[in-house]
């Protein structure tokens, strides 16, 4: 029998948008030759609103490739090296992450940095078509597993996993406001009533944070997890592009923004950012999630109004960036024509929350 490594590689099939399979094969042949042997195929799993994610068949294995979106990319966002580093560091911890395989920073290969990781068993519960299949008991168990996993992340000691220099904890919350204000300026292409007032109020009242210095995910929510329902468990946390060292309450505030602010608003129905999340989709209320987290973490939760306001501002900016890319024809997938509708209710809730802080 012929050694597979000595066989002539089969030609790549048609390349999906954003992924040139022949260029990928050439890179793999140099850096991971065992993955370049045999057929090379890929299909887009998700794309358009954040990084593009592909299922890749290479070397007889099923892998996942991640790269930034096409076109308009906000500065400091979509950081492939950051994602690769953090999932590599968390591999030996209780936080479930895919096994990192290969990082490529050479933009000549695919036009942007990318990395490969193992494919993990599980399902992404992204919208009502998936969450509607869950029983009430499964929804509760999944929500609680989500919070247990977040608590596990926030208890990891950064220095113990080689992430002591992964961010600058001091002044993290104030920098978050400045960072997303800058991203807003780079995405703004229409009037956005109230968003500048929200930015200014957040900047004027940013707390130092009593829990700073923890590993934060930066975009933690149900549909950034892989999970199984028999049994109910989180099998992998995904989308680490905004991870850093900072205040874990920012993760909680953003989670509540998705879960309660958008998950309790009619405008989110059918929208790919928040459809299928929160009490309107049959999951426990946000307060129950926070109680579960507090019972499994040493983080001082305290009032979360300011952090919810920050979450609203951050998500409004992200949605506006996606809306902008959509107007330029640079999103891949469906549902992005309504992303811009989320900005106004996010700004309104953010203003209310920051005044309550």
């Amino acid at each position: 029998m012929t050694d597979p490594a000595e066989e002539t590689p089969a030609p790549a099939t048609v390349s999906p948008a954003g992924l040139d399979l022949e260029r990928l094969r050439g890179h793999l042949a140099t850096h991971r030759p065992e993955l370049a042997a045999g057929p090379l195929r890929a299909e887009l799993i998700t794309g358009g609103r954040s990084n593009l994610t592909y299922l890749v068949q290479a070397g007889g294995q099923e892998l996942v490739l991640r790269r930034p979106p096409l076109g308009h990319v906000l500065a400091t966002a979509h950081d492939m090296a950051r994602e690769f580093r953090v999932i590599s560091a968390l591999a030996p911890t209780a936080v479930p992450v895919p096994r990192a395989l290969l990082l490529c920073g050479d933009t000549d290969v695919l036009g942007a940095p990318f990395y490969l990781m193992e494919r993990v068993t599980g399902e992404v519960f992204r919208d009502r078509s998936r969450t509607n299949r869950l029983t009430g008991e499964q929804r509760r168990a999944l929500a609680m597993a989500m919070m247990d996993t977040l608590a596990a992340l926030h208890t990891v000691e950064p220095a113990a996993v080689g992430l002591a220099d992964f961010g600058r904890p001091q002044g993290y919350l104030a920098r978050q406001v400045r960072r997303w204000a800058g991203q807003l300026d780079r995405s703004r292409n229409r009037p956005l009533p109230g968003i500048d007032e929200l930015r200014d109020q957040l900047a004027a009242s940013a707390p130092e944070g009593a829990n700073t210095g923890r590993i934060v995910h930066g975009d933690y929510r149900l549909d950034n997890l892989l999970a199984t329902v028999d049994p109910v468990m989180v099998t992998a946390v995904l989308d680490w592009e905004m991870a850093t060292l900072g205040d874990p309450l920012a993760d909680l505030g953003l989670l509540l923004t998705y879960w309660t602010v958008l998950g309790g608003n009619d405008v989110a129905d059918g929208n790919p950012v928040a459809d299928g999340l929160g009490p309107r989709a049959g999951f426990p209320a946000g307060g129950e999630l926070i109680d579960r987290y507090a019972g499994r973490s040493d983080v001082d939760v305290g009032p979360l109004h300011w952090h919810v306001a920050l979450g609203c501002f951050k998500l409004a900016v992200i949605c506006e960036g996606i809306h902008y890319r959509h107007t330029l024809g640079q999103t891949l997938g469906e549902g992005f024509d309504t992303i811009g509708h989320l900005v106004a209710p996010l700004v309104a809730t953010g203003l209310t929350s920051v005044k309550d802080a």
Side-chain angles (χ1 to χ4, degrees), residues 39-62:
L40 186 64
R41 300 184 178 89
E43 61 179 291
L44 182 69
I45 303 174
T46 60
R49 61 191 165 105
S50 184
N51 290 321
L52 304 180
T53 305
Y54 304 84
L55 178 62
V56 177
Q57 295 180 353
Q61 303 180 50
E62 285 193 332

Side-chain angles (χ1 to χ4, degrees), residues 109-146:
V109 180
L110 296 182
F114 68 90
Y115 72 93
L116 280 169
M117 58 184 169
E118 69 172 349
R119 186 187 188 191
V120 177
T121 300
E123 185 173 358
V124 177
F125 291 93
R126 175 164 285 115
D127 52 43
R128 295 290 181 97
S129 69
R130 301 198 178 207
T131 59
N132 281 349
R133 293 187 275 107
L134 301 175
T135 66
E137 182 178 343
Q138 287 172 331
R139 292 175 207 224
R140 169 169 288 278
L142 184 56
M144 297 309 161
M146 174 180 69

Side-chain angles (χ1 to χ4, degrees), residues 14 67 281:
V14 176
R67 58 147 292 167

